[in-house]
Amino acid sequence: MLGNLLDNACKWARRRIDVELAFADEVLVRVADDGPGCAETELAGLTRRGARLDESVQGHGLGLGIVADIVDSYKGSLHLGRSKALGGFLATVRLPLSR
C-alpha cells in the first residue's frame, strides 16, 4: 500500500514529497506531493482499476485501486484530495488498530 502511494507521488512530484505516519488509536498514513494534483471532480474515479487521468507518465492505473482494496480489507478509509501545504495530490489512509 505504502509502495503504491509513494510510487504515485514520485511520478507526479516536481521536487517534494511529504510522508506522515502516525500510530495512536489508528494507523494514519499521509502522502503528499507538489505536483499538479487533480480536479476535485476526477478524484472519485482514481481508485477504479485501469483509470488514468494522464497518459504522459508510465503506469497502468492500478496503484490507487490496489490501495483502495487493501484499505477496504482492513476496514479503513482512503481520502484523496489536494495538499494544502504542497499544492499537489494528497492521499490519506486511516486503518483501525486491533486491540
Side-chain angles (χ1 to χ4, degrees):
M1 178 184 73
L2 186 56
N4 283 341
L5 292 174
L6 289 171
D7 182 61
N8 190 66
C10 287
K11 286 179 186 175
W12 295 103
R14 291 182 181 109
R15 299 184 63 141
R16 184 171 166 189
I17 295 169
D18 285 352
V19 177
E20 178 185 352
L21 301 171
F23 300 91
D25 296 330
E26 64 184 0
V27 175
L28 172 70
V29 178
R30 282 192 186 114
V31 178
D33 66 61
D34 65 351
C38 72
E40 190 81 23
T41 56
E42 298 174 322
L43 292 172
L46 289 178
T47 56
R48 280 192 337 263
R49 295 215 180 213
R52 297 186 62 199
L53 299 179
D54 187 338
E55 302 283 331
S56 67
V57 296
Q58 287 187 325
H60 300 286
L62 299 175
L64 291 175
I66 291 169
V67 170
D69 288 348
I70 293 169
V71 169
D72 285 345
S73 75
Y74 284 98
K75 307 220 181 324
S77 67
L78 170 64
H79 179 265
L80 305 177
R82 183 168 297 276
S83 169
K84 290 179 183 172
L86 299 182
F89 194 72
L90 170 65
T92 303
V93 173
R94 294 179 184 277
L95 301 174
L97 289 174
S98 299
R99 299 208 188 246

